[in-house]
Amino acid sequence: MTQHDVPHSKEYLPSPTGESRKPSRWQPWKLAASALLGALSLLFLLHQLDGTRVIINRFMNSKLEDVTLTDWKWSDIEPSRTLRWHRCYDDTYDCARLDVPMDWLDPSDDPRERVVLAVIRIRATKLDDYKGPIFFNPGGPGGSGVYALTDRGALLQTIAGKNHDIISFDPRGIGASLPRVDCWDSQEKSRLWELQNVGVVDAHPGVVFDAFARATALSQVCEQKMNSSGLLSHISTASHARDLLEILHQTGQEKLKYWGFSYGTILGGVFAAMYPDKVERLVSDGNVDYREWHLHSYINFLRDTDKVMEAFYYYCHKAGPLSCDFYASTPEAIEHRLASLLQHIQEHPIIVPAAESGPDMPQLITYSHLRRLISTSLYQPIYMFKNFAKILKALEDGDGEPFYQLVLSGQSTPPICSIEAIPPNVPRLEEGNGDAFPAILCADSPPMADTVGDFAEFVEELVQISSAAGAVNALFRMVCVGRTVRPKWRYSGPFEANTSHPILYVANIADNVTPLISARNNSEGFPGSVILVQNSYGHTSLSAASTCTAGYIRAYFQNGTLPKPGTMCEPDYYPFEEIRPKIEDEILMASHELSQRKWGYEPSLAF
């Protein structure tokens, strides 16, 4: 090993040198699994979406922007079977509503058997060398392409080149695309269900059985509620890939340029396997293992998780007591310190008393809260580790106020009875749809036949693979328990083809939910593809800004150039370092800004 290797297996090595007026809350998946994502997309627990948004935004001292800038509404656009662009969102973007068959294998003109896709575009600004559109998917499944494009589309365009349009869309069942997946009659019921969360499966004896029963109940509710729409039979990734092909053709293009993150790598991989002659460029970042996803095994996805956790111990120790509040004399001592804190909180939850500057009623910080915070922090080490260390030190001192201010203070708002209800047949702007995650995941998977005993054994196996986050991520497999609706069209392989142009896979040296081995497994099926490795930690390469990585991606989109096999890029910064980007470098600034955004399916803390 060299000084550029990832610290793991207890080897602490030297670091490298080198549509409503407001976006609706991404509802925590009432059950849910951890993120994969990008990969699942952080990395992507299905009751984990909303809390992560709160946590990540607060770690970064930012808030969810209101991207709905005018009174313009998606419903102002008449759906059409041809792509008709309309200026939207303060005349900044182009929007369209494309009417497509719900069942691509047996198309119907019956409006009840059609899907309306919300599509959005940023136009190219350098037209003297116009290179057409790049499509991108932010992850999930359940992530809104509309929201993501308004949030970060211009940054992606800066890296890829402003001679490209950037196009995204809300996949069927999500956001402004109709009908939308919605498991409840009202948002109040949804919120009340979330508040009954049973905790992480290893929190106390018997929790795994409660979680399994809860998963079954939720599956039954979702299928009953969605039965009349028929959408659950037509929501597998194969249908999304066909939707993508239709949008591509409607733009007048014959071949696809695509950039996918986390679950977006599954969509890209299925598209490439189904339509290999349609691939002009494909960047796959934060790679979910194609076969693991479609076989519903979920074992390899945590292979690198503890490496990211060990990076926290290593870089905290390297930073010293002035920069890391949870410092100890060795990385191993920091690990022991965290284990002791977890054991203490498991037996003695911390009480945050009611106070004028705090909660209006007492709050508990439990073992499950801390476990989920640990899992969430592994998604973006550059921006989360330092504050994570501060919170751990405070909890060790019996002070729950910093944890409350970061995580819990936003959980009581909006009041349950004031939550805005938007019917599933009305377009809405949402960061993502937690109900859509299991709908798509389970449609892509074989029927789930696990007993509660089978699931308990699976939990034990995951905890053996990752002591840091195995228990939190165990619910990933369980969300399909009790599901009976099967997809009419499901692609299950082979995941191999000769694409028109080789695929560029991008992977961190250690990703907490989409490990490097997944990129290698995926690449094997596509001749000529190359894996660009970024020597950083967290979910997708965007968890750490890298001018090197951004440069290779730009060259690939501009002229098809691939890195040489074995190429590794260094990040611009490492955990606990002070970040000072050079504002005169446009690509560097875009990469830096993207690294602060949330990508893919990420876990919430499900408080």
Side-chain angles (χ1 to χ4, degrees):
M1 291 187 178
T2 71
Q3 66 172 352
H4 299 282
D5 290 321
V6 181
H8 64 91
S9 302
K10 308 308 176 194
E11 296 179 31
Y12 299 94
L13 305 175
S15 76
T17 57
E19 158 144 16
S20 61
R21 286 303 306 271
K22 293 184 178 180
S24 60
R25 296 167 64 91
W26 183 317
Q27 295 297 328
W29 216 88
K30 298 96 185 181
L31 260 197
S34 107
L36 189 51
L37 99 332
L40 306 169
S41 195
L42 204 209
L43 261 92
F44 94 332
L45 309 182
L46 289 179
H47 53 216
Q48 289 205 237
L49 291 168
D50 187 52
T52 292
R53 175 184 63 78
V54 173
I55 284 184
I56 288 180
N57 286 332
R58 293 190 184 181
F59 261 115
M60 296 175 184
N61 298 314
S62 63
K63 62 181 181 179
L64 189 65
E65 293 183 59
D66 184 346
V67 297
T68 310
L69 303 175
T70 69
D71 290 331
W72 177 86
K73 302 183 296 295
W74 277 98
S75 54
D76 292 339
I77 298 177
E78 186 71 22
S80 171
R81 297 192 185 186
T82 59
L83 199 63
R84 298 177 181 174
W85 295 111
H86 303 256
R87 295 299 283 170
C88 57
Y89 293 117
D90 269 359
D91 205 37
T92 304
Y93 306 96
D94 296 322
C95 293
R97 299 181 72 200
L98 185 63
D99 183 336
V100 301
M102 182 176 289
D103 182 355
W104 278 108
L105 300 181
D106 185 18
S108 171
D109 290 331
D110 186 337
R112 295 170 297 181
E113 298 179 18
R114 308 287 297 183
V115 168
V116 177
L117 302 174
V119 188
I120 188 168
R121 174 178 71 178
I122 297 177
R123 295 179 185 176
T125 57
K126 294 184 178 180
L127 302 180
D128 54 338
D129 185 28
Y130 177 66
K131 291 185 177 293
I134 295 172
F135 290 76
F136 93 94
N137 179 280
S144 164
V146 169
Y147 175 85
L149 188 137
T150 60
D151 179 65
R152 66 206 75 143
L155 299 172
L156 295 174
Q157 187 183 51
T158 297
I159 290 176
K162 295 182 180 179
N163 51 356
H164 289 102
D165 301 323
I166 304 293
I167 295 178
S168 193
F169 66 102
D170 279 355
R172 53 176 61 199
I174 298 163
S177 291
L178 303 177
R180 190 169 52 252
V181 178
D182 188 343
C183 294
W184 300 93
D185 292 325
S186 68
Q187 291 297 302
E188 289 87 353
K189 288 182 180 179
S190 175
R191 189 71 180 275
L192 287 168
W193 177 260
E194 293 157 13
L195 293 174
Q196 299 176 51
N197 175 265
V198 298
V200 173
V201 292
D202 71 338
H204 302 287
V207 172
V208 65
F209 306 113
D210 295 341
F212 192 87
R214 180 177 166 83
T216 304
L218 185 55
S219 292
Q220 293 170 351
V221 167
C222 288
E223 292 194 340
Q224 181 181 15
K225 178 65 168 61
M226 292 298 300
N227 181 59
S228 61
S229 74
L231 182 63
L232 295 186
S233 298
H234 305 283
I235 201 166
S236 75
T237 299
S239 293
H240 296 301
R242 182 61 181 86
D243 291 342
L244 177 56
L245 180 66
E246 183 67 17
I247 299 170
L248 174 70
H249 286 166
Q250 290 280 347
T251 64
Q253 303 294 316
E254 285 300 315
K255 293 190 177 183
L256 176 72
K257 291 184 178 180
Y258 178 83
W259 196 350
F261 300 87
S262 198
Y263 164 78
T265 67
I266 290 291
L267 177 56
V270 169
F271 185 97
M274 291 174 63
Y275 312 112
D277 59 325
K278 297 293 184 180
V279 175
E280 183 175 353
R281 304 280 190 276
L282 199 156
V283 175
S284 188
D285 190 339
N287 291 272
V288 183
D289 190 297
Y290 302 147
R291 295 162 187 83
E292 184 166 272
W293 177 265
H294 288 90
L295 292 176
H296 206 187
S297 54
Y298 303 115
I299 293 296
N300 282 325
F301 80 110
L302 294 183
R303 291 293 177 189
D304 287 350
T305 307
D306 283 4
K307 295 177 185 178
V308 185
M309 188 74 249
E310 289 161 13
F312 171 75
Y313 306 140
Y314 170 77
Y315 283 106
C316 176
H317 176 259
K318 181 176 184 293
L322 295 181
S323 294
C324 180
D325 287 24
F326 209 61
Y327 172 83
S329 58
T330 65
E332 294 89 346
I334 297 172
E335 180 180 13
H336 177 75
R337 190 175 174 183
L338 179 56
S340 298
L341 176 60
L342 278 163
Q343 182 177 357
H344 177 78
I345 287 183
Q346 190 172 28
E347 299 171 358
H348 306 285
I350 293 175
I351 300 172
V352 182
E356 184 174 341
S357 61
D360 55 8
M361 59 185 295
Q363 299 282 330
L364 288 183
I365 298 174
T366 67
Y367 173 88
S368 292
H369 289 113
L370 181 53
R371 270 290 181 207
R372 288 171 175 148
L373 177 62
I374 292 169
S375 180
T376 299
S377 299
L378 302 181
Y379 281 80
Q380 291 182 297
I382 297 291
Y383 289 96
M384 299 181 77
F385 274 3
K386 196 164 188 175
N387 280 335
F388 174 55
K390 292 179 185 294
I391 290 170
L392 293 180
K393 175 62 167 65
L395 291 175
E396 192 177 54
D397 294 339
D399 180 8
E401 181 70 15
F403 187 103
Y404 170 79
Q405 293 299 334
L406 174 73
V407 178
L408 298 178
S409 62
Q411 297 299 298
S412 60
T413 56
I416 289 175
C417 293
S418 69
I419 297 174
E420 182 180 11
I422 302 175
N425 61 348
V426 175
R428 77 179 180 196
L429 178 68
E430 59 184 1
E431 187 176 1
N433 183 332
D435 290 340
F437 186 106
I440 298 169
L441 168 63
C442 301
D444 282 348
S445 307
M448 168 62 73
D450 281 12
T451 65
V452 67
D454 295 331
F455 181 70
E457 291 178 4
F458 171 74
V459 170
E460 291 180 6
E461 185 173 6
L462 272 195
V463 172
Q464 288 296 315
I465 293 170
S466 173
S467 60
V472 175
N473 286 274
L475 293 179
F476 209 149
R477 181 179 175 90
M478 192 172 61
V479 295
C480 297
V481 170
R483 296 259 169 176
T484 61
V485 176
R486 299 302 302 153
K488 182 175 179 180
W489 189 16
R490 171 178 174 259
Y491 187 82
S492 58
F495 293 99
E496 51 191 36
N498 284 296
T499 51
S500 295
H501 192 83
I503 296 172
L504 174 58
Y505 291 93
V506 183
N508 283 343
I509 196 74
D511 185 310
N512 55 306
V513 286
T514 55
L516 178 57
I517 188 63
S518 295
R520 289 175 175 155
N521 290 341
N522 292 348
S523 175
E524 285 181 356
F526 293 91
S529 63
V530 172
I531 303 171
L532 174 64
V533 178
Q534 183 169 295
N535 196 20
S536 62
Y537 312 92
H539 185 44
T540 82
S541 70
L542 295 179
S543 60
S546 172
T547 309
C548 171
T549 299
Y552 278 116
I553 291 173
R554 183 183 183 90
Y556 177 74
F557 278 124
Q558 288 294 318
N559 53 44
T561 302
L562 286 159
K564 293 180 180 179
T567 298
M568 178 178 287
C569 278
E570 296 298 326
D572 295 338
Y573 304 96
Y574 296 92
F576 293 97
E577 289 186 354
E578 186 175 355
I579 297 173
R580 294 178 177 176
K582 298 177 181 178
I583 60 175
E584 66 273 9
D585 188 323
E586 185 180 49
I587 294 179
L588 188 156
M589 284 300 299
S591 178
H592 167 73
E593 181 65 21
L594 282 168
S595 71
Q596 300 182 66
R597 306 300 173 97
K598 176 166 63 68
W599 287 91
Y601 175 66
E602 298 162 346
S604 82
L605 300 188
F607 297 111

